[in-house]
Amino acid sequence: FPVTIGSGDCDDHVILLAAMLFSIGVKNLFMRIVTFKPSCQEWRHIYLVVKQNGKEYPLDPIVKNKGWGYEAPYHNKKDIAL
């Protein structure tokens, strides 16, 4: 997992971050799975989104130098409630 070896892919980070957020009582948490190109038939990336008061707050720990709240442009998405 990311903490013990200092790395991990997007789904490893989603599991860790979701567990941390649930432990402090964060609710309305979703996994967002996305594709980046219209020609892509497979889901390519996953990250967390907190939905609150009609707003979405993406939490993508893989994206570097953009900060929390940044969401890379995507072609298609699927949100799964946790």
Side-chain angles (χ1 to χ4, degrees):
F1 277 89
V3 172
T4 57
I5 60 173
S7 65
D9 60 10
C10 56
D11 54 326
D12 295 327
H13 286 268
V14 163
I15 293 166
L16 177 61
L17 186 55
M20 292 167 58
L21 291 171
F22 277 133
S23 77
I24 60 170
V26 174
K27 297 183 185 326
N28 300 320
L29 194 57
F30 294 77
M31 293 185 303
R32 177 163 289 165
I33 306 169
V34 298
T35 61
F36 294 112
K37 297 178 183 178
S39 60
C40 185
Q41 298 298 314
E42 297 176 8
W43 299 107
R44 302 304 299 174
H45 187 48
I46 185 169
Y47 51 94
L48 294 178
V49 176
V50 177
K51 296 183 180 183
Q52 196 166 14
N53 300 324
K55 293 185 179 183
E56 295 185 349
Y57 303 93
L59 304 173
D60 189 346
I62 300 296
V63 175
K64 303 292 183 212
N65 302 319
K66 295 289 186 178
W68 294 111
Y70 174 79
E71 187 169 34
Y74 56 82
H75 173 68
N76 197 9
K77 74 172 183 176
K78 181 178 182 181
D79 288 347
I80 302 168
L82 297 178

